[in-house]
Amino acid sequence: MKFFLFFILLFLSHKSFAYPSFIGHSYTSCLNCHFNPFGGGALTDYGRAVSATTISSKAFYPQSVDDEKLAYMSGFLFRKPKQGWLRTQINYRGFNLVRNPGSSETETKQWINMQGDARLILKFGENDKFIAAGNIGYAPEPANPISGDKQSEWRSREYYLGYRITPRLGLYAGLMDKVYGLRVVEHIAYARTTPQVTQNDQTHGAVIHYLSETWESGLHFFQGNLAQDEDLRMEGISGTFEKTVFDLHRLGFSYLSQKNDYLELSSLALHGRFNLKEGSSLLFEVGQTSKKPLNSEVTKANYALMQTSLRPVRGLYVLTNIEYLKRNAELDDYTVRWGPSLQAFPMQRLELRLDIYNTRNFSPDSSTKDNWMYLVQTHLWL
Amino acid sequence: MKISIIIILFISLYSCQDFNSNTADRIKYGPLILDEPDPNFPRAFNIISKQCINCHSSRIHDQWANFTDNKSWLDSLLINRGDPSNSIFLQRIINYGGASSNMPQGGSALSTSDYQHLVKWIEEIP
């Protein structure tokens, strides 16, 4: 029965990461396009249609194919669903990672199959007020796993039940990403790694979401990933609040507090998302994370992220990322990582992306060479 | 039918990969359990734990928290037994290493005492 269900999932669905930069298209809330009110995960029918008619280019389609047809084709297997209670998606991301390009001694190249998964959404009730969502897929085994800890190559990053009590108020319970900060797609960003909200840091818990006309908020109570050994599970609470300003932009803050048997971590961040019109946007997040390991002193780390996303034409985004990290606020050392990115959606269900990263470390005691890295990503979905 | 799909979905998805930011916490922050008779190793590992493992504990930067004996380090080819000057690990350390030395990134440089102990450790590996 498990195999049969998996067989159905494999052929039945699109998973998308969150794109908070799409505030540039006047979408202040992630709930506009996603079943998960804080973004990421499966797209709603409306979200699929937006992806096809606003985000993706139509340059490679015949002129006879208008946006209405594109919206009609945005469903799974290029057609409008014939029933209202089941939605499915499948998704693949892979990229070529090159470190130290141009160096005859240290250049490395590696193709990574980052993600391949299937998603199932069941929805019932008036205005789909009840949902059950889940995904499962391939996740690379850690390159150097913990000795004696054999990791599966199958991973579920999300499964939960959701209930919109009212259009404004929703409750969700299950395995989800922690509600904290900007859920940018760059999971190596310091804004995600420092507070430990990366692509693998989902947790079992309950989320309360509230959306009003001018603000949005969420509260997350969690027990850690129950698939993990009990002593490692991070239990805690997190929350976020955003207010719409001048009808276009969002300013907000987030807080996170969690601990396991070995580490206490808390984090506070301020963040903003600015609509620069015509699909362009600016994001920022600044935060401080405190870590207290067992039998050790507290270390505070400061981080910052700024990302601009400019859309010269439909289907193309030019990004600039600047990041800052001070691993220990009491020291003078800090790291800056910056670089341009090119993100293209030449047609619906296809994303191509080039990211270039320069990492520079600053220290009063030493001068070090910059690190360069670039990656070329392919993202396909049905 | 819908309820059974939900139940089966949750059951089938429960036991999967659980690797995340905290997988190495027990090794990084828990009681240190080393199975290495070399008397130089505990202090060397302690230096590495404080200065390096915060970054070198991920899929990209290697899981040095796992390297709890001399054999692990030798097998990694990061150090050469009895030959510190040709050990990549030492060559990358700021102020002591070669042209490409830049470690630890974003952290304070190793003290002279700590660096000299790492040299001693590699020189005297049984």
Side-chain angles (χ1 to χ4, degrees):
Chain A
M1 184 60 182
K2 254 191 195 181
F3 179 79
F4 178 68
L5 179 63
F6 169 72
F7 185 83
I8 291 178
L9 289 177
L10 190 63
F11 285 91
L12 287 184
S13 162
H14 159 76
K15 178 197 190 302
S16 77
F17 285 3
Y19 291 93
S21 58
F22 287 163
I23 193 171
H25 294 284
S26 301
Y27 294 110
T28 51
S29 173
C30 304
L31 197 58
N32 289 127
C33 297
H34 291 271
F35 288 102
N36 186 318
F38 297 101
L43 290 171
T44 60
D45 291 351
Y46 180 80
R48 281 180 173 270
V50 168
S51 173
T53 61
T54 305
I55 309 300
S56 303
S57 171
K58 56 185 290 191
F60 298 98
Y61 291 95
Q63 286 198 340
S64 60
V65 177
D66 57 13
D67 281 342
E68 186 177 342
K69 282 187 182 173
L70 288 174
Y72 184 89
M73 287 166 29
S74 66
F76 182 69
L77 295 182
F78 302 93
R79 59 194 173 115
K80 185 177 177 181
K82 293 184 179 178
Q83 35 69 31
W85 62 272
L86 175 70
R87 294 292 181 267
T88 52
Q89 300 168 341
I90 53 179
N91 180 80
Y92 170 79
R93 280 183 194 263
F95 62 83
N96 191 33
L97 173 64
V98 180
R99 297 197 188 96
N100 303 313
S103 168
S104 56
E105 295 177 348
T106 57
E107 178 177 298
T108 60
K109 295 181 181 178
Q110 184 183 9
W111 177 266
I112 297 175
N113 293 309
M114 188 167 70
Q115 178 191 27
D117 60 24
R119 179 174 300 278
L120 185 73
I121 308 291
L122 303 174
K123 52 197 186 78
F124 331 103
E126 185 182 358
N127 296 321
D128 299 333
K129 60 191 325 182
F130 298 99
I131 66 167
N135 78 349
I136 188 167
Y138 169 80
E141 190 179 349
N144 293 285
I146 302 294
S147 177
D149 179 29
K150 177 66 178 172
Q151 288 282 343
S152 167
E153 288 185 325
W154 294 99
R155 188 175 194 110
S156 175
R157 290 196 170 93
E158 191 175 63
Y159 52 87
Y160 61 88
L161 300 175
Y163 173 40
R164 297 301 303 185
I165 302 172
T166 69
R168 294 184 185 277
L169 177 64
L171 301 176
Y172 303 81
L175 181 73
M176 294 168 285
D177 285 302
K178 290 169 192 167
V179 174
Y180 177 89
L182 297 179
R183 200 169 282 179
V184 293
V185 68
E186 296 84 2
H187 60 78
I188 64 169
Y190 298 139
R192 294 194 65 182
T193 58
T194 307
Q196 295 185 351
V197 288
T198 69
Q199 80 279 17
N200 292 325
D201 288 321
Q202 293 81 27
T203 185
H204 286 90
V207 171
I208 303 171
H209 170 256
Y210 190 85
L211 174 66
S212 83
E213 289 176 359
T214 58
W215 58 272
E216 186 171 11
S217 181
L219 203 56
H220 196 173
F221 304 91
F222 50 86
Q223 289 270 299
N225 188 337
L226 299 182
Q228 207 168 29
D229 290 344
E230 191 172 349
D231 59 331
L232 296 173
R233 295 175 198 164
M234 284 300 235
E235 301 178 12
I237 184 172
S238 68
T240 191
F241 176 88
E242 278 193 344
K243 178 146 175 52
T244 302
V245 294
F246 303 116
D247 294 331
L248 294 173
H249 318 297
R250 280 282 184 93
L251 289 176
F253 63 88
S254 293
Y255 178 73
L256 166 70
S257 176
Q258 57 182 12
K259 66 177 183 179
N260 60 18
D261 287 1
Y262 308 104
L263 177 69
E264 295 179 21
L265 183 149
S266 62
S267 195
L268 179 66
L270 299 176
H271 38 84
R273 297 183 288 136
F274 299 93
N275 180 348
L276 303 181
K277 296 296 190 77
E278 306 297 331
S280 299
S281 64
L282 184 149
L283 311 177
F284 84 87
E285 180 174 333
V286 293
Q288 183 175 81
T289 301
S290 297
K291 287 186 180 177
K292 186 190 180 310
L294 184 69
N295 299 323
S296 191
E297 296 175 358
V298 172
T299 304
K300 292 183 193 288
N302 297 329
Y303 68 85
L305 163 75
M306 188 177 79
Q307 181 183 92
T308 60
S309 176
L310 304 178
R311 191 185 84 148
V313 296
R314 175 172 158 177
L316 182 66
Y317 296 84
V318 180
L319 289 75
T320 304
N321 297 289
I322 303 174
E323 299 180 71
Y324 166 89
L325 174 65
K326 197 171 200 184
R327 289 185 179 80
N328 189 333
E330 293 185 2
L331 301 178
D332 293 327
D333 308 77
Y334 62 95
T335 297
V336 173
R337 184 164 64 196
W338 66 275
S341 300
L342 206 59
Q343 184 183 38
F345 298 86
M347 57 183 63
Q348 58 173 301
R349 307 170 197 279
L350 174 62
E351 176 189 359
L352 304 172
R353 180 160 173 160
L354 167 66
D355 294 272
I356 298 174
Y357 292 97
N358 169 276
T359 305
R360 183 174 294 187
N361 298 292
F362 296 85
S363 168
D365 300 324
S366 62
S367 174
T368 62
K369 283 185 179 179
D370 291 4
N371 282 323
W372 287 91
M373 176 174 79
Y374 73 83
L375 56 91
V376 183
Q377 181 182 158
T378 302
H379 176 205
L380 300 164
W381 65 91
L382 280 178
Chain B
M1 173 61 178
K2 292 177 184 177
I3 300 297
S4 62
I5 288 177
I6 292 173
I7 293 172
I8 292 169
L9 185 69
F10 271 64
I11 291 173
S12 66
L13 294 180
Y14 183 78
S15 50
C16 294
Q17 186 190 92
D18 62 5
F19 179 84
N20 67 7
S21 297
N22 304 104
T23 300
D25 283 359
R26 186 188 301 130
I27 294 175
K28 284 161 65 175
Y29 308 121
L32 197 57
I33 300 173
L34 300 175
D35 186 20
E36 173 55 61
D38 178 4
N40 292 323
F41 185 78
R43 182 182 170 191
F45 190 76
N46 191 44
I47 295 166
I48 293 166
S49 294
K50 286 184 178 176
Q51 298 280 69
C52 314
I53 283 177
N54 214 32
C55 294
H56 286 271
S57 58
S58 71
R59 186 175 168 276
I60 293 178
H61 295 298
D62 304 325
Q63 290 275 5
W64 287 4
N66 286 346
F67 295 1
T68 53
D69 54 30
N70 283 337
K71 183 179 185 304
S72 302
W73 284 96
L74 291 167
D75 288 347
S76 73
L77 303 182
L78 289 167
I79 63 173
N80 288 329
R81 177 188 277 112
D83 192 2
S85 59
N86 284 316
S87 293
I88 298 172
F89 173 71
L90 289 186
Q91 289 172 351
R92 298 298 306 278
I93 295 179
I94 296 173
N95 294 340
Y96 305 104
S100 60
S101 62
N102 61 348
M103 295 293 168
Q105 280 193 14
S108 55
L110 265 65
S111 67
T112 303
S113 169
D114 282 350
Y115 177 78
Q116 286 177 345
H117 182 80
L118 293 176
V119 171
K120 175 181 164 68
W121 162 51
I122 295 174
E123 274 180 344
E124 298 179 2
I125 287 183

